[in-house]
Amino acid sequence: MEKLEETVLEYYEKGGSVKYAARMSGISEYKAQQILSNYGVVTSETAQTALKLYEEGKSHEEIAKIMGITENGLRRYLPYTRGPKNKDNPTINAVRIRKCREKKKGREA
């Protein structure tokens, strides 16, 4: 477990809310919710419903339609499934994106 994730979990346990954990960790509520979801912490009825439907084998599209939310909005309530971020051996596309972002930073400075 990484330091940020430990911090979010610790603040959530202390304060009992995603908002508190996010504020104290210095990240967005969306990111805090996603971290908590990755560690199986169910923070609301919405998260519980989304997780139940996901475990039943429903697709993200089906769950979003049933719950009346967007697929992007749904992602905050489900465990992260896209592969590790900032891994040691990034994909070719990840390397390309990082280079592009570095170039953009250089122009803004």
Side-chain angles (χ1 to χ4, degrees):
M1 186 180 316
E2 292 184 32
K3 184 156 178 54
L4 175 62
E5 294 163 339
E6 289 174 5
T7 303
V8 171
L9 287 167
E10 182 181 314
Y11 281 124
Y12 180 75
E13 289 170 1
K14 282 183 185 176
S17 77
V18 176
K19 184 177 247 177
Y20 177 78
R23 187 174 57 242
M24 297 306 290
S25 302
I27 60 174
S28 69
E29 286 182 45
Y30 180 91
K31 183 67 178 172
Q33 176 70 54
Q34 195 172 43
I35 289 170
L36 292 167
S37 294
N38 287 341
Y39 287 93
V41 178
V42 179
T43 59
S44 66
E45 286 185 40
T46 304
Q48 187 173 14
T49 302
L51 194 56
K52 181 178 179 255
L53 292 169
Y54 180 73
E55 288 171 350
E56 289 175 3
K58 303 250 188 263
S59 70
H60 285 199
E61 184 180 353
E62 291 173 313
I63 297 168
K65 188 178 270 189
I66 290 168
M67 296 181 67
I69 58 177
T70 66
E71 285 184 59
N72 283 338
L74 173 65
R75 284 193 180 95
R76 77 174 17 188
Y77 301 111
L78 298 177
Y80 188 75
T81 57
R82 291 186 179 176
K85 290 187 176 186
N86 299 324
K87 62 183 180 176
D88 294 333
N89 301 314
T91 63
I92 293 170
N93 191 47
V95 171
R96 183 185 63 77
I97 290 168
R98 289 175 188 169
K99 284 181 183 178
C100 183
R101 288 180 178 161
E102 286 300 317
K103 285 181 189 177
K104 187 176 180 181
K105 276 185 184 178
R107 282 186 260 150
E108 292 174 354

